[in-house]
Amino acid sequence: MEWALIDQDGPVRSGRTPDGTRVLWHPADGPTSARLTFRVGVADEALPTRGITHLVEHLAHERIGLPLYEANAHVGVWCTTFSAGGEVDDVTVHLGVLGAALHDLPVGGCEGEIEILLLEAARRAPSQWEDLLVQRYGLRGLGLASVDEVGLDLLRPEQVAEWARTAFTASGAVLSVHGAEPGDEWLQLPVGPPLPPADALPLPDRRSKWFTTSRQAVALGSLGRDEPSTTAAWWWLQRRMRQRLRVEDRAVYDVDMSMFALPHGSIELALAAVTDERRLDDVLAAVQDVVDETCSSTPTQEELAAHARWFARSRSTDRSAVQALDDLARSWLVEGTDPADHPGAALDPVPSGDEVRRTLARLLDDATWEVPDDCEAPSGLEPLPVLVPAPSLLGGRRFLSRGQLQGPGALVLSAGGVVLDLEEGVTAGMAWEDCVEVRRSSSGVRHLVCVDGNVLPVYPVDWHDSDTVLAVLDELTPPQLVRTIHEDSGDAGAGESSWRGASSDALLLDPLISSAVPLLLSPAMVFFGLLLLVSSPGTTHPLGSGCFAVGLICAGVWCVVAVGQRWRRRWVRWRHRRGQRTGS
């Protein structure tokens, strides 16, 4: 293997194996440490296959067993890393077995490894950042990092093996070695094109919005540039919130802060104040007060100096040689940059107080608020909008309702998406590009899950020519979105996280209530009961009395339900119009 120095003044060399795997080597005496990093992670999955990368990682390690040397693996947002450390022979055998397993994944052990993954998930504590990520990025990309591995139970062995062959390729991998010189025979990986460099795209119109959650916490998140003024502004806001909520009000134990670096110089920020049910409204009001006060003031020189010391510790240049190799590998894979162009880790300049204040104002303009269910809406903020179907989607094939919708209605199926076109301009639907999963029930019901978490159910029995509806819908559905469920659950669209807004199946009425059967049966029973009573004057006729009473009860129940459904529909229509106004 031919080597080239990454930096003329440094020891790190770069090369490439015969199969195309890029290699970073830091020569050193003593034990050898190797990390094989692939450009595939949670953000590359889809909702129906959520967990497939983690399953591949477990199955590849299955052939290695429990070695006597150090060995581990980890699936991240954009990268998956296998590591080994010990004697040179141990590392060589480890990488050879790993490469062979990825060529021919032992999918026969899928069922057992899925059980292990479910046990691992049960140990994982939920985070207050999860809802913020889902609401900003939706149920794809970075948002999937906050979603449970819901696809494990329906993954097919051949599907898992194909993912190992296409996502864990030599051209999408970097082997980092600290110690002995790696040889060409160390590793042979599947050949194929690499996954593209990572990107993190938030959903549109996520500025200064709020949503509700069942968590007993007030949280806010934002997206900014990864620079000193951004981290200083967020650190300063956390300090002010701590002073008010912890020291003065004694309403929280602490204010948690998260800063997660994203590709291409962006950073995801979050703050959360966890409290008990009695203080939720007070904490929300206090957080809003602190935000307003902080935006109208400027940090002191002492505060800026304290942040500079904190920033220096968090971005310390005193990193081990192995960690430095990891940084280079991730830069190569995730950012798409060459290690030769990797910037040095020089300490950034200290921002001015005015710069920090202006940066904080920009971050709060883009902030998303997470508010407990029982709290009042934050003043001055609108709720997160629901994605509404574009008018162009109304040009597809139309199916009229069977009368189970109040008023005229049509189901529109097209290559662009699915739309429920109801009267008075009310529409509900989604484009295929906004759909992340289509759940196929054994009864024929289809639940379309939107990227923003809303669910659109389609009941073929509600439309004329239901067989054709089902055939056309299944033909138009992109195959990678399909997830088959074997039980018919009316709540199959409930989803893994709390969906916002009115579910679109609120636009549909219960077929039993909406049909004409109760309306015709009630007068018939009343008439039959009266006929029996009139035919037996002077005597009590039990059957006639019973029919008469049951008929009156059925008529009364039907009238009450019909009126209730009418008002329910008006309420849903108002919610959808409000969502359209909010999203415009």
PDB file of all heavy atoms in Angstrom, residues 210-217 276-278 280-282 284 371-377:
ATOM      1  N   TRP A 210     -44.735  26.476  18.118  1.00  0.00           N
ATOM      2  CA  TRP A 210     -44.796  25.662  19.319  1.00  0.00           C
ATOM      3  C   TRP A 210     -45.654  24.437  19.055  1.00  0.00           C
ATOM      4  O   TRP A 210     -46.481  24.400  18.146  1.00  0.00           O
ATOM      5  CB  TRP A 210     -45.354  26.447  20.502  1.00  0.00           C
ATOM      6  CG  TRP A 210     -46.788  26.882  20.347  1.00  0.00           C
ATOM      7  CD1 TRP A 210     -47.242  27.991  19.714  1.00  0.00           C
ATOM      8  CD2 TRP A 210     -47.943  26.180  20.821  1.00  0.00           C
ATOM      9  NE1 TRP A 210     -48.607  28.044  19.760  1.00  0.00           N
ATOM     10  CE2 TRP A 210     -49.073  26.946  20.440  1.00  0.00           C
ATOM     11  CE3 TRP A 210     -48.139  24.998  21.525  1.00  0.00           C
ATOM     12  CZ2 TRP A 210     -50.378  26.559  20.731  1.00  0.00           C
ATOM     13  CZ3 TRP A 210     -49.439  24.617  21.822  1.00  0.00           C
ATOM     14  CH2 TRP A 210     -50.534  25.388  21.431  1.00  0.00           C
ATOM     15  N   PHE A 211     -45.442  23.397  19.859  1.00  0.00           N
ATOM     16  CA  PHE A 211     -46.257  22.192  19.817  1.00  0.00           C
ATOM     17  C   PHE A 211     -46.379  21.651  21.234  1.00  0.00           C
ATOM     18  O   PHE A 211     -45.607  22.021  22.129  1.00  0.00           O
ATOM     19  CB  PHE A 211     -45.644  21.131  18.882  1.00  0.00           C
ATOM     20  CG  PHE A 211     -44.317  20.600  19.341  1.00  0.00           C
ATOM     21  CD1 PHE A 211     -44.238  19.416  20.074  1.00  0.00           C
ATOM     22  CD2 PHE A 211     -43.135  21.266  19.060  1.00  0.00           C
ATOM     23  CE1 PHE A 211     -43.015  18.927  20.501  1.00  0.00           C
ATOM     24  CE2 PHE A 211     -41.907  20.786  19.481  1.00  0.00           C
ATOM     25  CZ  PHE A 211     -41.853  19.612  20.209  1.00  0.00           C
ATOM     26  N   THR A 212     -47.356  20.795  21.446  1.00  0.00           N
ATOM     27  CA  THR A 212     -47.602  20.248  22.779  1.00  0.00           C
ATOM     28  C   THR A 212     -47.016  18.856  22.901  1.00  0.00           C
ATOM     29  O   THR A 212     -46.818  18.149  21.909  1.00  0.00           O
ATOM     30  CB  THR A 212     -49.109  20.194  23.071  1.00  0.00           C
ATOM     31  OG1 THR A 212     -49.755  19.377  22.082  1.00  0.00           O
ATOM     32  CG2 THR A 212     -49.720  21.582  23.054  1.00  0.00           C
ATOM     33  N   THR A 213     -46.760  18.464  24.144  1.00  0.00           N
ATOM     34  CA  THR A 213     -46.183  17.158  24.432  1.00  0.00           C
ATOM     35  C   THR A 213     -46.686  16.687  25.785  1.00  0.00           C
ATOM     36  O   THR A 213     -47.178  17.483  26.593  1.00  0.00           O
ATOM     37  CB  THR A 213     -44.642  17.228  24.446  1.00  0.00           C
ATOM     38  OG1 THR A 213     -44.096  15.953  24.760  1.00  0.00           O
ATOM     39  CG2 THR A 213     -44.160  18.217  25.488  1.00  0.00           C
ATOM     40  N   SER A 214     -46.556  15.394  26.036  1.00  0.00           N
ATOM     41  CA  SER A 214     -46.975  14.838  27.332  1.00  0.00           C
ATOM     42  C   SER A 214     -45.864  14.943  28.379  1.00  0.00           C
ATOM     43  O   SER A 214     -46.096  14.604  29.539  1.00  0.00           O
ATOM     44  CB  SER A 214     -47.385  13.373  27.156  1.00  0.00           C
ATOM     45  OG  SER A 214     -46.298  12.612  26.635  1.00  0.00           O
ATOM     46  N   ARG A 215     -44.673  15.397  27.997  1.00  0.00           N
ATOM     47  CA  ARG A 215     -43.571  15.500  28.945  1.00  0.00           C
ATOM     48  C   ARG A 215     -43.799  16.664  29.907  1.00  0.00           C
ATOM     49  O   ARG A 215     -44.356  17.697  29.533  1.00  0.00           O
ATOM     50  CB  ARG A 215     -42.245  15.689  28.208  1.00  0.00           C
ATOM     51  CG  ARG A 215     -41.922  14.587  27.229  1.00  0.00           C
ATOM     52  CD  ARG A 215     -40.567  14.865  26.584  1.00  0.00           C
ATOM     53  NE  ARG A 215     -40.332  13.989  25.459  1.00  0.00           N
ATOM     54  CZ  ARG A 215     -39.838  12.765  25.546  1.00  0.00           C
ATOM     55  NH1 ARG A 215     -39.527  12.282  26.728  1.00  0.00           N
ATOM     56  NH2 ARG A 215     -39.636  12.020  24.472  1.00  0.00           N
ATOM     57  N   GLN A 216     -43.326  16.508  31.132  1.00  0.00           N
ATOM     58  CA  GLN A 216     -43.440  17.581  32.122  1.00  0.00           C
ATOM     59  C   GLN A 216     -42.191  18.455  32.045  1.00  0.00           C
ATOM     60  O   GLN A 216     -41.351  18.499  32.945  1.00  0.00           O
ATOM     61  CB  GLN A 216     -43.623  16.996  33.521  1.00  0.00           C
ATOM     62  CG  GLN A 216     -44.944  16.271  33.696  1.00  0.00           C
ATOM     63  CD  GLN A 216     -45.171  15.813  35.121  1.00  0.00           C
ATOM     64  OE1 GLN A 216     -44.316  15.962  35.979  1.00  0.00           O
ATOM     65  NE2 GLN A 216     -46.339  15.244  35.369  1.00  0.00           N
ATOM     66  N   ALA A 217     -42.067  19.149  30.922  1.00  0.00           N
ATOM     67  CA  ALA A 217     -40.900  19.986  30.677  1.00  0.00           C
ATOM     68  C   ALA A 217     -41.254  21.068  29.674  1.00  0.00           C
ATOM     69  O   ALA A 217     -42.138  20.891  28.832  1.00  0.00           O
ATOM     70  CB  ALA A 217     -39.730  19.149  30.152  1.00  0.00           C
ATOM     71  N   ASP A 276     -42.261  19.555  37.968  1.00  0.00           N
ATOM     72  CA  ASP A 276     -43.401  18.700  38.269  1.00  0.00           C
ATOM     73  C   ASP A 276     -44.677  19.340  37.731  1.00  0.00           C
ATOM     74  O   ASP A 276     -44.695  20.480  37.261  1.00  0.00           O
ATOM     75  CB  ASP A 276     -43.527  18.438  39.782  1.00  0.00           C
ATOM     76  CG  ASP A 276     -43.629  19.712  40.594  1.00  0.00           C
ATOM     77  OD1 ASP A 276     -44.271  20.670  40.121  1.00  0.00           O
ATOM     78  OD2 ASP A 276     -43.058  19.756  41.701  1.00  0.00           O
ATOM     79  N   GLU A 277     -45.761  18.578  37.818  1.00  0.00           N
ATOM     80  CA  GLU A 277     -47.018  18.994  37.193  1.00  0.00           C
ATOM     81  C   GLU A 277     -47.556  20.296  37.778  1.00  0.00           C
ATOM     82  O   GLU A 277     -48.178  21.102  37.079  1.00  0.00           O
ATOM     83  CB  GLU A 277     -48.046  17.871  37.350  1.00  0.00           C
ATOM     84  CG  GLU A 277     -49.347  18.108  36.627  1.00  0.00           C
ATOM     85  CD  GLU A 277     -50.280  16.924  36.750  1.00  0.00           C
ATOM     86  OE1 GLU A 277     -49.877  15.911  37.360  1.00  0.00           O
ATOM     87  OE2 GLU A 277     -51.412  17.012  36.246  1.00  0.00           O
ATOM     88  N   ARG A 278     -47.306  20.557  39.057  1.00  0.00           N
ATOM     89  CA  ARG A 278     -47.871  21.736  39.714  1.00  0.00           C
ATOM     90  C   ARG A 278     -47.257  23.036  39.198  1.00  0.00           C
ATOM     91  O   ARG A 278     -47.869  24.094  39.273  1.00  0.00           O
ATOM     92  CB  ARG A 278     -47.663  21.634  41.226  1.00  0.00           C
ATOM     93  CG  ARG A 278     -48.373  20.454  41.881  1.00  0.00           C
ATOM     94  CD  ARG A 278     -47.998  20.317  43.342  1.00  0.00           C
ATOM     95  NE  ARG A 278     -46.581  20.002  43.507  1.00  0.00           N
ATOM     96  CZ  ARG A 278     -45.714  20.789  44.124  1.00  0.00           C
ATOM     97  NH1 ARG A 278     -46.106  21.946  44.621  1.00  0.00           N
ATOM     98  NH2 ARG A 278     -44.449  20.422  44.254  1.00  0.00           N
ATOM     99  N   LEU A 280     -45.824  23.672  36.043  1.00  0.00           N
ATOM    100  CA  LEU A 280     -45.614  23.763  34.603  1.00  0.00           C
ATOM    101  C   LEU A 280     -45.953  25.153  34.065  1.00  0.00           C
ATOM    102  O   LEU A 280     -45.178  25.746  33.303  1.00  0.00           O
ATOM    103  CB  LEU A 280     -46.436  22.693  33.877  1.00  0.00           C
ATOM    104  CG  LEU A 280     -45.941  21.247  34.041  1.00  0.00           C
ATOM    105  CD1 LEU A 280     -46.916  20.275  33.411  1.00  0.00           C
ATOM    106  CD2 LEU A 280     -44.554  21.084  33.423  1.00  0.00           C
ATOM    107  N   ASP A 281     -47.120  25.693  34.455  1.00  0.00           N
ATOM    108  CA  ASP A 281     -47.509  27.017  33.957  1.00  0.00           C
ATOM    109  C   ASP A 281     -46.539  28.091  34.431  1.00  0.00           C
ATOM    110  O   ASP A 281     -46.178  29.006  33.672  1.00  0.00           O
ATOM    111  CB  ASP A 281     -48.933  27.354  34.410  1.00  0.00           C
ATOM    112  CG  ASP A 281     -49.977  26.562  33.641  1.00  0.00           C
ATOM    113  OD1 ASP A 281     -49.938  26.587  32.396  1.00  0.00           O
ATOM    114  OD2 ASP A 281     -50.819  25.900  34.273  1.00  0.00           O
ATOM    115  N   ASP A 282     -46.107  27.994  35.693  1.00  0.00           N
ATOM    116  CA  ASP A 282     -45.168  28.990  36.221  1.00  0.00           C
ATOM    117  C   ASP A 282     -43.820  28.918  35.502  1.00  0.00           C
ATOM    118  O   ASP A 282     -43.205  29.957  35.197  1.00  0.00           O
ATOM    119  CB  ASP A 282     -44.965  28.777  37.723  1.00  0.00           C
ATOM    120  CG  ASP A 282     -46.236  29.024  38.520  1.00  0.00           C
ATOM    121  OD1 ASP A 282     -47.112  29.762  38.009  1.00  0.00           O
ATOM    122  OD2 ASP A 282     -46.363  28.471  39.633  1.00  0.00           O
ATOM    123  N   LEU A 284     -43.265  27.796  32.408  1.00  0.00           N
ATOM    124  CA  LEU A 284     -43.425  28.316  31.052  1.00  0.00           C
ATOM    125  C   LEU A 284     -43.416  29.845  31.054  1.00  0.00           C
ATOM    126  O   LEU A 284     -42.739  30.469  30.215  1.00  0.00           O
ATOM    127  CB  LEU A 284     -44.723  27.794  30.443  1.00  0.00           C
ATOM    128  CG  LEU A 284     -45.079  28.342  29.055  1.00  0.00           C
ATOM    129  CD1 LEU A 284     -43.990  28.037  28.038  1.00  0.00           C
ATOM    130  CD2 LEU A 284     -46.424  27.778  28.581  1.00  0.00           C
ATOM    131  N   VAL A 371     -44.175  22.518  24.635  1.00  0.00           N
ATOM    132  CA  VAL A 371     -44.995  22.966  25.753  1.00  0.00           C
ATOM    133  C   VAL A 371     -45.824  21.798  26.268  1.00  0.00           C
ATOM    134  O   VAL A 371     -46.398  21.049  25.467  1.00  0.00           O
ATOM    135  CB  VAL A 371     -45.915  24.126  25.312  1.00  0.00           C
ATOM    136  CG1 VAL A 371     -46.784  24.603  26.467  1.00  0.00           C
ATOM    137  CG2 VAL A 371     -45.087  25.274  24.756  1.00  0.00           C
ATOM    138  N   PRO A 372     -45.919  21.584  27.581  1.00  0.00           N
ATOM    139  CA  PRO A 372     -46.758  20.504  28.113  1.00  0.00           C
ATOM    140  C   PRO A 372     -48.223  20.668  27.714  1.00  0.00           C
ATOM    141  O   PRO A 372     -48.712  21.789  27.495  1.00  0.00           O
ATOM    142  CB  PRO A 372     -46.580  20.637  29.634  1.00  0.00           C
ATOM    143  CG  PRO A 372     -45.262  21.327  29.800  1.00  0.00           C
ATOM    144  CD  PRO A 372     -45.149  22.262  28.641  1.00  0.00           C
ATOM    145  N   ASP A 373     -48.924  19.542  27.636  1.00  0.00           N
ATOM    146  CA  ASP A 373     -50.311  19.537  27.168  1.00  0.00           C
ATOM    147  C   ASP A 373     -51.208  20.464  27.984  1.00  0.00           C
ATOM    148  O   ASP A 373     -52.106  21.106  27.438  1.00  0.00           O
ATOM    149  CB  ASP A 373     -50.881  18.110  27.230  1.00  0.00           C
ATOM    150  CG  ASP A 373     -50.210  17.199  26.224  1.00  0.00           C
ATOM    151  OD1 ASP A 373     -49.817  17.706  25.161  1.00  0.00           O
ATOM    152  OD2 ASP A 373     -50.070  16.003  26.504  1.00  0.00           O
ATOM    153  N   ASP A 374     -51.018  20.493  29.293  1.00  0.00           N
ATOM    154  CA  ASP A 374     -51.933  21.214  30.167  1.00  0.00           C
ATOM    155  C   ASP A 374     -51.661  22.709  30.248  1.00  0.00           C
ATOM    156  O   ASP A 374     -52.415  23.431  30.908  1.00  0.00           O
ATOM    157  CB  ASP A 374     -51.874  20.618  31.588  1.00  0.00           C
ATOM    158  CG  ASP A 374     -52.319  19.169  31.610  1.00  0.00           C
ATOM    159  OD1 ASP A 374     -53.120  18.798  30.727  1.00  0.00           O
ATOM    160  OD2 ASP A 374     -51.853  18.411  32.474  1.00  0.00           O
ATOM    161  N   CYS A 375     -50.599  23.185  29.612  1.00  0.00           N
ATOM    162  CA  CYS A 375     -50.263  24.608  29.690  1.00  0.00           C
ATOM    163  C   CYS A 375     -50.979  25.394  28.594  1.00  0.00           C
ATOM    164  O   CYS A 375     -51.325  24.856  27.535  1.00  0.00           O
ATOM    165  CB  CYS A 375     -48.759  24.811  29.548  1.00  0.00           C
ATOM    166  SG  CYS A 375     -47.809  24.226  30.956  1.00  0.00           S
ATOM    167  N   GLU A 376     -51.176  26.672  28.853  1.00  0.00           N
ATOM    168  CA  GLU A 376     -51.723  27.553  27.840  1.00  0.00           C
ATOM    169  C   GLU A 376     -50.678  27.812  26.757  1.00  0.00           C
ATOM    170  O   GLU A 376     -49.479  27.725  26.991  1.00  0.00           O
ATOM    171  CB  GLU A 376     -52.172  28.874  28.470  1.00  0.00           C
ATOM    172  CG  GLU A 376     -53.333  28.725  29.454  1.00  0.00           C
ATOM    173  CD  GLU A 376     -53.802  30.065  29.954  1.00  0.00           C
ATOM    174  OE1 GLU A 376     -53.259  31.093  29.497  1.00  0.00           O
ATOM    175  OE2 GLU A 376     -54.704  30.087  30.810  1.00  0.00           O
ATOM    176  N   ALA A 377     -51.169  28.180  25.580  1.00  0.00           N
ATOM    177  CA  ALA A 377     -50.272  28.419  24.455  1.00  0.00           C
ATOM    178  C   ALA A 377     -49.355  29.597  24.744  1.00  0.00           C
ATOM    179  O   ALA A 377     -49.777  30.584  25.353  1.00  0.00           O
ATOM    180  CB  ALA A 377     -51.090  28.694  23.195  1.00  0.00           C
TER     181      ALA A 377
END
